[in-house]
Amino acid sequence: MSIRVIERIRAMQAWADEVRREGKRIGLVPTMGCLHEGHLSLIRLARERTDGVVVSIFVNPTQFGPGEDFEKYPRTFERDQELVEQAGGEVIFTPNVEEMYPPGFCTAVQVDKLTEGLCGASRPGHFRGVTTVVAKLLCAVKPHVAVFGQKDFQQAVVIRRMVRDLNLNVEIVIAPIVREADGLAISSRNAYLSPSERRVARVLFQSLEKARERVRAGEREASGIISAMKAEIEAKPMARIDYIEMVDAETIEPATRVEGRVLVALAVWIGKTRLIDNVVLEKK
Ligand code: AMP
């Protein structure tokens, strides 16, 4: 059975209505394509919880800032199609930019507070683009469950908030980070790294592991944990820190100590490529 590719919102909604009429549950995995094992794990998780999985592939221009990599973002549709099929997805929803943002489009969904720190601070307007496109994808695909990766932890928290605040009738599931053998979180942007940059990039995970070890050993102060991480990353000439922070995992507000569930999140430039990663730590 070959996979169905849908490009129009109306056709997507008609498919969803039909599936819902049959009493079946729909899963959605939103992506920007260039699929990898991280995305595939989300598709498998969605399959376990629903009867038919839609993978959206849309490189959303409104979540990229000026000078970011929208133009050069890797587009590998044919390969993506094979991977979705292998992972058991049923539909690829791949609207073009005009379909999503026709002339006259002037609406946005904005989640406040949770979007102020971390990636929200370094990428102004990014989350407004994300929440607006995800709201539109939810209206097009009408899923019962939508799966997002912990890799983009802040994004997942922001989308959960949006869903609650707007009473959207969908369950948001957050899936664990899938990593390469050396710990680097898999990302479409890893393709930008040269071989030497790729070797350096493992320092992101190594520094997060260091944070985890320190907490396991009893350290609680954010300042000590963060400065050890900074020292490790700054020792690599190709790496430049955008941010490293400890925040409350629910509110995304700065945390000075490991108490309850905290998130240690970082964004680091390796050459011209900005990579993110995180770990959730809990004081038991
Ligand atoms: P993207 O195509 O980068 O926008 O990512 C689409 C979805 O896949 C988002 O929910 C990401 O958090 C998730 N994702 C990306 N990389 C990974 C990974 N290494 N492990 C788990 N989920 C991921």
Side-chain angles (χ1 to χ4, degrees), residues 30-32 36 38-39 42 73 148-149 151-152 155 176-178 186:
T31 81
M32 298 203 298
H36 52 63
H39 299 115
L42 270 50
Y73 196 85
F148 293 85
K151 159 100 187 328
D152 299 87
Q155 167 175 284
I177 303 177
V178 179
I186 302 181

Side-chain angles (χ1 to χ4, degrees), residues 1 6 13 32 68 89 96-99 107-108 129 206-207 225 237 243 269 280:
M1 190 196 73
I6 299 180
Q13 289 169 327
M32 298 203 298
E68 289 188 355
N96 64 25
V97 173
E98 291 70 37
E99 178 74 359
T107 300
Q206 283 168 346
S207 71
I225 295 166
Y243 67 75
W269 290 92
V280 176

Side-chain angles (χ1 to χ4, degrees), residues 129-141:
V130 169
T131 41
T132 303
V133 82
V134 171
K136 284 178 68 71
L137 292 171
L138 294 174
C139 291
V141 178

Side-chain angles (χ1 to χ4, degrees), residues 28-279:
L28 169 64
V29 177
T31 81
M32 298 203 298
C34 190
L35 301 183
H36 52 63
E37 195 47 47
H39 299 115
L40 302 186
S41 73
L42 270 50
I43 299 172
R44 292 189 201 106
L45 191 59
R47 268 193 73 190
E48 283 168 19
R49 296 178 179 236
T50 60
D51 304 303
V53 174
V54 177
V55 178
S56 64
I57 298 182
F58 180 62
V59 185
N60 175 36
T62 68
Q63 69 190 69
F64 289 79
E68 289 188 355
D69 56 344
F70 174 69
E71 300 295 341
K72 73 162 184 175
Y73 196 85
R75 289 153 172 94
T76 57
F77 187 74
E78 267 155 39
R79 190 168 164 273
D80 290 351
Q81 203 168 329
E82 281 167 25
L83 291 174
V84 173
E85 204 162 340
Q86 284 164 20
E90 202 152 304
V91 173
I92 295 180
F93 176 50
T94 180
N96 64 25
V97 173
E98 291 70 37
E99 178 74 359
M100 290 296 266
Y101 304 112
F105 185 92
C106 56
T107 300
V109 178
Q110 167 71 28
V111 173
D112 293 332
K113 284 206 183 91
L114 297 172
T115 56
E116 281 168 13
L118 307 182
C119 285
S122 10
R123 303 182 71 189
H126 168 68
F127 283 117
R128 181 182 158 104
V130 169
T131 41
T132 303
V133 82
V134 171
K136 284 178 68 71
L137 292 171
L138 294 174
C139 291
V141 178
K142 308 188 186 190
H144 297 79
V145 174
V147 184
F148 293 85
Q150 188 196 314
K151 159 100 187 328
D152 299 87
F153 190 98
Q154 186 179 18
Q155 167 175 284
V157 170
V158 165
I159 286 165
R160 260 202 178 145
R161 188 76 252 167
M162 170 184 82
V163 162
R164 281 193 200 131
D165 288 354
L166 297 181
N167 311 110
L168 303 178
N169 197 10
V170 59
E171 181 193 351
I172 302 299
V173 171
I174 303 178
I177 303 177
V178 179
R179 300 180 176 282
E180 303 279 6
D182 67 351
L184 177 67
I186 302 181
S187 162
S188 309
R189 290 188 168 101
N190 293 352
Y192 299 151
L193 301 171
S194 70
S196 56
E197 289 171 340
R198 171 64 189 81
R199 282 192 292 278
V200 168
R202 36 195 304 228
V203 74
L204 276 76
F205 176 69
Q206 283 168 346
S207 71
L208 289 167
E209 279 296 285
K210 186 156 279 181
R212 194 202 293 278
E213 277 160 29
R214 282 180 170 247
V215 171
R216 205 178 286 145
E219 189 160 345
R220 293 285 173 261
E221 292 300 320
S223 55
I225 295 166
I226 302 289
S227 45
M229 293 175 71
K230 282 192 172 153
E232 181 156 10
I233 294 174
E234 280 163 357
K236 309 278 182 194
M238 276 180 218
R240 186 167 56 81
I241 296 169
D242 176 0
Y243 67 75
I244 304 183
E245 281 182 53
M246 187 186 290
V247 298
D248 181 283
E250 310 296 322
T251 63
I252 314 291
E253 279 171 15
T256 53
R257 289 176 60 76
V258 181
E259 257 158 4
R261 269 179 91 232
V262 297
L263 174 78
V264 179
L266 48 74
V268 175
W269 290 92
I270 303 290
K272 291 196 166 83
T273 305
R274 182 178 175 278
L275 300 177
I276 59 172
D277 202 348
N278 66 76
V279 65

